[in-house]
Amino acid sequence: MATFADIGLAAAINILTALIFLVAFAIIRLQPVNDRVYFPKWYLKGLRDSPTHSGALLKRFVNLDWRAYVRFLNWVPDALRMPEPELIEHAGLDSAVYLRIYLLGLKIFVPLALLSWSILVPVNWTNNTLNRSDLTHSDIDKLSISNVPLGSPRFWTHIVMAYAFTFWTCYVLRMEYKKVADMRLQFLALQGRRPDQFTVLVRNVPPDPDESVSEAVEHFFLVNHQDNYLTNQVVYNANKLAKLVEQKKSNQNWLDYYQLKYLRGNQSKRPRMKTGFLGLCGQKVDAIDHQIAEIERLSKEIEEERDRVKNDAKAIMPVAFVSFKTRWAAAVCAQTQQSRNPTLWLTEWAPEPRDVYWENLAIPYVSLTIRKLIIGVAFFFLTFFFMIPITFVQSLANIEGIRKKLPFLKEIIDTPFVKSFIQGFLPGIILKIFLILLPTILMLMSKFEGFTSKSSLERRSASRYYIFNFVNVFLGSVIAGAAFEQLNSFIHQSADEIPKTIGAAIPMKATFFITYIMVDGWTGIAGEVLRLKALILFHLKNSFLVKTEKDREDAMNPGSLCFNFNEPRIQLYFLLGLVYAAVTPILLPFILVFFAFAYVVFRHQIINVYNQEYESAAAFWPDVHGRIIFALIFSQVSTLGLLSTKHAAQSAPFLIVLPVLTITFHLYCKGRYESAFTKHPLQEAKMKDTLEQAREPNFNLKPYLQDAYIHPVFKGNEDEYDYDGISEKADEENVLVQTKRQSRKNTPAPSKGSGGSSPSFRVEVIHEKEKP
């Protein structure tokens, strides 16, 4: 059981480590040679020039201005200086709203911390319950509800505080939901013209024996959206082609490396390499000649694969991006059912082109349900088996609870520094290490599941990460930790007494979470701003691969917010804060430090470093709101369960009302604000179309849209290859369109005067061409 001394040592270690990281960052970022690592966003925007291009040789690598070192902490006020509207223009709404999650944490927990420490801490501390019990505890646990005697009227204080915490949290959540919804609608209204505003993604296009996918899509939308349809782009299964292109790019990087190595080294000896696995085994060959031969081979395979994709009908998937003449028409199509069969002609808003995850568009729609089932089962087993390392971590965190059963470790454990280090620091860092690979595993699961946009992949991964954190990091740590701490009590007590022991032990797990918060939320955030990995990789690439300015830009690797990892990490702190606010308030100051520190660090990173891969206009906010609501409800239920074990029979029933009120509040917010994140109002779309038509009456939208959703591996080769994915078969000078279709589905019946015979293709009347 961690004591004040253990927590103090852990805090000293983490604060010292964080300060070392921050001082190192403040000095390293001032050096001209590192400028592209710590300010890549400005380089990508073309607003910053490299200081290594001019001046004396030494000044190109080392900052000799002593005044810069005096102002080395200026990055903090600089990060806070940019106003939010300018931040949105600079980094996008996703980044600005992401930062508001940290501000939301401060808005909720600053008042909660003040109330808890001014009211609950004195109520808990002025008791002597734990000293008279057999429970393993420390002085820290005397600040928790576990120190209140069974059946005490003091539990009314905790119930009143639970009501106050709930009402304040709901009030802040409602105001923030309203604010973010208004920001989203305003952002979309002021946003310039983008392809996704006019485009919907159509999936599960039914096969037609007489028409290609492109022709079928064109025919369907010319008939059913005759006044608004503009063009379409079918989706090719170019996954193999994309892999070949990536492999060629990798070989080109290795060729650049070996050529630079040859030119900068001893030119009498050409570099050599092994052709086996990872270059560790196999025949030794001339590295430059081998890479050139591989590039030539891949180039030939790329051309062959590109021709196959172009000419093979099986390479065309029953998926298409369909563009309309107006935003209003796209909104109508995206939000309505297109066919009497609800499983065909499925439409949804198209992601913006850079948000599309092309690989999953090639997955057959019928297999998505099976994939979801497989991933659901795999995630269950991943979560279940991860309890093993969680139990191991808790065994480290609770040495005093098992020392009686393992006396041979007593000499080592009783060393004061070792004991404080193991209980106050080691469990948090080990748990952090165990969680390193988890985001990558969950992202792979989401990709296998078949989501078609990077934003939806990150949101699904974030959802699973949150569930994992809740089950393993929170519940697993509490249950396993309580079992280890109270091992002696469990062995000697009757079965009826065990729930009481668990009820008293759960609040005492706050000490473990304090150590985790300091490792992850203090030291981890300081490591985020240092960007040590990015710094090393940049200089390695700059030394061995960079030949041009374009290569140097590619080597910068600014990264992004990593929403799939960072957002559920924040949500864990919301969960811990809300659960422990009414039972163990000592945890709240540590959480406040995290929210304030992380807000400053991530604001700096968003302004200077991160370059978002996509812009979803804060589509993730309903998930953020829902997880905080879940944390609030769980805190109420856990407090109710805890009071039931404390013989607070008269006061506990009053907490039953809180979950009901919270769920009602959530349903209200869902009905009032969520539609702003899932639907696009036709009124807003019509208004934007009208304004644009008045400003640019002669703008030709078709050339703007027709190439927007071509697979990236085809871009740059449009002149060389004539892909028929963009349907332009309709003669714009006519009002008739030919179709080879024999089927009468989705086609108006011929008039009675059309005759009884049916030619090889029928002519169908569609919309009249709009007059200029």
Side-chain angles (χ1 to χ4, degrees):
M1 180 66 64
T3 64
F4 278 116
D6 301 335
I7 296 299
L9 177 63
I13 293 174
N14 284 284
I15 291 173
L16 181 61
T17 306
L19 286 176
I20 291 173
F21 286 167
L22 292 175
V23 172
F25 159 73
I27 295 174
I28 292 174
R29 77 183 186 95
L30 296 176
Q31 311 312 314
V33 72
N34 300 323
D35 203 57
R36 289 180 180 270
V37 178
Y38 295 105
F39 301 96
K41 194 181 189 83
W42 298 101
Y43 282 94
L44 294 175
K45 286 178 171 287
L47 300 176
R48 193 178 182 96
D49 294 324
S50 176
T52 62
H53 287 172
S54 60
L57 181 62
L58 184 59
K59 287 185 178 181
R60 296 183 185 181
F61 299 96
V62 181
N63 190 336
L64 300 178
D65 185 4
W66 62 270
R67 290 168 296 185
Y69 295 95
V70 175
R71 304 188 303 268
F72 74 100
L73 289 179
N74 275 8
W75 68 271
V76 175
D78 289 346
L80 301 174
R81 190 171 293 123
M82 183 180 287
E84 188 173 67
E86 186 179 342
L87 180 66
I88 294 174
E89 183 179 355
H90 174 71
L93 186 64
D94 280 344
S95 299
V97 171
Y98 174 80
L99 288 174
R100 294 190 70 90
I101 304 177
Y102 295 105
L103 291 179
L104 177 64
L106 292 173
K107 291 176 183 177
I108 291 175
F109 288 114
V110 167
L112 263 60
L114 292 176
L115 281 175
S116 296
W117 278 81
S118 60
I119 298 176
L120 291 181
V121 168
V123 169
N124 296 335
W125 179 261
T126 54
N127 290 282
N128 199 30
T129 303
L130 290 176
N131 288 337
R132 297 195 303 265
S133 70
D134 295 330
L135 296 174
T136 303
H137 68 277
S138 69
D139 288 341
I140 293 179
D141 299 315
K142 294 179 181 179
L143 300 175
S144 74
I145 197 174
S146 298
N147 199 36
V148 180
L150 299 178
S152 172
R154 295 192 178 201
F155 288 123
W156 282 104
T157 307
H158 299 84
I159 292 177
V160 172
M161 287 295 100
Y163 271 88
F165 296 165
T166 297
F167 290 152
W168 173 251
T169 302
C170 290
Y171 170 76
V172 175
L173 283 176
R174 179 190 175 276
M175 298 304 295
E176 198 66 21
Y177 213 152
K178 181 178 184 300
K179 175 67 176 178
V180 174
D182 291 341
M183 290 172 65
R184 174 180 166 86
L185 292 176
Q186 183 181 13
F187 179 81
L188 294 175
L190 298 178
Q191 199 174 42
R193 184 187 296 111
R194 294 199 327 182
D196 53 294
Q197 298 169 351
F198 301 88
T199 307
V200 299
L201 176 63
V202 183
R203 307 190 71 181
N204 216 22
V205 176
D208 193 301
D210 302 312
E211 292 180 329
S212 67
V213 174
S214 178
E215 291 169 337
V217 170
E218 179 186 52
H219 174 250
F220 179 87
F221 283 94
L222 283 174
V223 171
N224 296 286
H225 296 266
Q226 53 185 336
D227 296 326
N228 299 300
Y229 170 78
L230 184 62
T231 185
N232 78 76
Q233 169 65 58
V234 296
V235 174
Y236 293 89
N237 185 353
N239 292 345
K240 182 179 178 181
L241 179 59
K243 291 178 182 177
L244 290 172
V245 171
E246 283 297 314
Q247 189 176 348
K248 180 182 175 181
K249 183 178 178 181
S250 175
N251 284 95
Q252 186 62 53
N253 286 336
W254 280 110
L255 177 61
D256 294 341
Y257 165 72
Y258 286 122
Q259 286 177 337
L260 286 173
K261 181 180 179 181
Y262 175 66
L263 293 174
R264 295 173 181 175
N266 183 7
Q267 297 190 12
S268 63
K269 184 179 180 181
R270 291 172 65 86
R272 298 180 67 80
M273 63 171 289
K274 294 181 179 180
T275 58
F277 178 72
L278 297 177
L280 301 175
C281 58
Q283 182 184 1
K284 257 195 172 184
V285 296
D286 185 285
I288 295 177
D289 292 342
H290 176 75
Q291 296 299 337
I292 291 175
E294 284 294 301
I295 291 172
E296 291 176 352
R297 178 184 63 82
L298 289 170
S299 298
K300 184 178 179 180
E301 290 185 16
I302 288 171
E303 294 303 315
E304 293 174 353
E305 179 65 16
R306 186 176 276 126
D307 289 338
R308 186 195 69 80
V309 171
K310 173 186 174 183
N311 299 313
D312 187 3
K314 294 181 179 179
I316 302 177
M317 304 305 297
V319 182
F321 291 97
V322 179
S323 298
F324 295 85
K325 297 175 181 178
T326 62
R327 298 173 180 84
W328 181 89
V332 170
C333 181
Q335 298 169 163
T336 54
Q337 182 175 315
Q338 303 302 309
S339 169
R340 67 173 63 183
N341 186 341
T343 64
L344 300 177
W345 299 103
L346 304 176
T347 57
E348 60 185 80
W349 277 109
E352 62 165 323
R354 59 180 179 163
D355 189 21
V356 177
Y357 188 69
W358 293 95
E359 186 175 340
N360 280 358
L361 287 175
I363 298 175
Y365 185 80
V366 293
S367 69
L368 293 181
T369 302
I370 299 175
R371 285 170 172 261
K372 289 180 180 179
L373 178 61
I374 293 173
I375 291 302
V377 174
F379 179 67
F380 171 80
F381 282 105
L382 174 67
T383 305
F384 178 78
F385 283 111
F386 205 86
M387 290 297 295
I388 297 173
I390 290 292
T391 304
F392 170 70
V393 170
Q394 288 304 318
S395 69
L396 293 178
N398 303 286
I399 294 175
E400 291 182 354
I402 63 173
R403 181 169 49 185
K404 298 174 184 178
K405 301 300 178 183
L406 300 173
F408 60 89
L409 294 176
K410 185 176 181 181
E411 293 298 328
I412 300 175
I413 292 173
D414 286 343
T415 304
F417 178 80
V418 173
K419 173 178 170 293
S420 297
F421 177 81
I422 291 177
Q423 294 197 138
F425 180 75
L426 194 59
I429 194 66
I430 291 180
L431 181 58
K432 180 73 175 173
I433 293 172
F434 277 134
L435 294 174
I436 285 177
L437 294 179
L438 184 62
T440 303
I441 296 172
L442 296 180
M443 179 58 75
L444 290 175
M445 286 183 169
S446 298
K447 290 179 179 178
F448 180 83
E449 201 169 351
F451 291 94
T452 56
S453 66
K454 298 174 185 175
S455 56
S456 58
L457 284 171
E458 290 201 340
R459 288 199 295 273
R460 174 52 67 94
S461 298
S463 177
R464 286 208 173 96
Y465 199 173
Y466 178 73
I467 296 172
F468 186 92
N469 276 342
F470 173 73
V471 173
N472 278 304
V473 178
F474 181 74
L475 286 183
S477 297
V478 167
I479 295 172
F484 274 105
E485 285 176 358
Q486 312 308 331
L487 190 59
N488 186 60
S489 299
F490 285 159
I491 292 174
H492 293 93
Q493 284 180 344
S494 65
D496 295 339
E497 297 296 317
I498 290 178
K500 298 178 183 179
T501 303
I502 294 178
I506 284 177
M508 291 189 261
K509 286 309 300 171
T511 53
F512 167 75
F513 290 118
I514 287 173
T515 65
Y516 180 76
I517 291 169
M518 289 188 290
V519 171
D520 179 70
W522 296 7
T523 305
I525 296 299
E528 178 73 26
V529 76
L530 181 58
R531 303 197 77 216
L532 188 59
K533 178 182 175 182
L535 178 68
I536 295 172
L537 289 178
F538 172 76
H539 286 298
L540 287 176
K541 292 178 180 179
N542 196 38
S543 301
F544 299 112
L545 297 177
V546 170
K547 292 192 296 185
T548 65
E549 281 300 314
K550 180 64 171 62
D551 295 337
R552 190 167 283 108
E553 281 190 10
D554 293 339
M556 286 192 297
N557 186 26
S560 61
L561 278 174
C562 295
F563 181 83
N564 60 305
F565 165 71
N566 283 316
E567 192 273 341
R569 177 168 70 171
I570 304 172
Q571 292 294 343
L572 178 62
Y573 293 107
F574 277 105
L575 175 67
L576 294 175
L578 290 172
V579 167
Y580 281 99
V583 295
T584 312
I586 190 175
L587 192 112
L588 294 181
F590 296 89
I591 290 180
L592 289 177
V593 172
F594 161 76
F595 279 118
F597 185 36
Y599 174 73
V600 175
V601 167
F602 278 98
R603 209 172 200 276
H604 172 274
Q605 299 296 84
I606 285 171
I607 292 173
N608 298 299
V609 181
Y610 297 146
N611 187 45
Q612 278 298 93
E613 297 180 359
Y614 59 84
E615 176 59 59
S616 70
F620 55 81
W621 191 260
D623 295 334
V624 173
H625 177 87
R627 286 168 196 147
I628 298 176
I629 289 291
F630 171 80
L632 183 60
I633 294 174
F634 182 80
S635 71
Q636 297 159 357
V637 173
S638 62
T639 303
L640 176 62
L642 178 60
L643 290 179
S644 67
T645 67
K646 304 286 284 183
H647 295 177
Q650 295 180 345
S651 55
F654 287 90
L655 279 177
I656 299 177
V657 181
L658 282 181
V660 177
L661 293 177
T662 306
I663 293 173
T664 304
F665 166 77
H666 175 60
L667 294 177
Y668 163 76
C669 289
K670 186 180 178 68
R672 176 63 181 85
Y673 302 113
E674 188 174 306
S675 61
F677 299 86
T678 57
K679 299 178 182 178
H680 192 66
L682 297 182
Q683 181 184 25
E684 296 288 330
K686 192 69 174 179
M687 185 184 306
K688 200 170 180 65
D689 288 332
T690 304
L691 290 174
E692 189 172 276
Q693 181 64 26
R695 291 170 182 167
E696 301 177 80
N698 299 320
F699 181 79
N700 189 358
L701 190 61
K702 191 168 187 177
Y704 173 74
L705 293 175
Q706 65 183 8
D707 294 338
Y709 286 95
I710 292 179
H711 196 293
V713 297
F714 295 142
K715 290 186 177 180
N717 299 281
E718 294 85 355
D719 296 335
E720 184 179 354
Y721 299 97
D722 181 23
Y723 297 102
D724 60 353
I726 300 173
S727 179
E728 299 182 11
K729 298 181 182 297
D731 184 359
E732 294 192 4
E733 299 301 323
N734 300 321
V735 296
L736 300 177
V737 156
Q738 294 180 347
T739 175
K740 301 175 183 178
R741 174 178 296 182
Q742 302 298 325
S743 170
R744 302 284 287 269
K745 291 181 181 179
N746 307 315
T747 303
S751 65
K752 293 182 179 180
S754 62
S757 61
S758 178
S760 60
F761 62 87
R762 294 188 293 108
V763 177
E764 299 184 290
V765 179
I766 59 161
H767 69 288
E768 223 175 46
K769 183 188 173 208
E770 291 185 355
K771 299 292 188 268

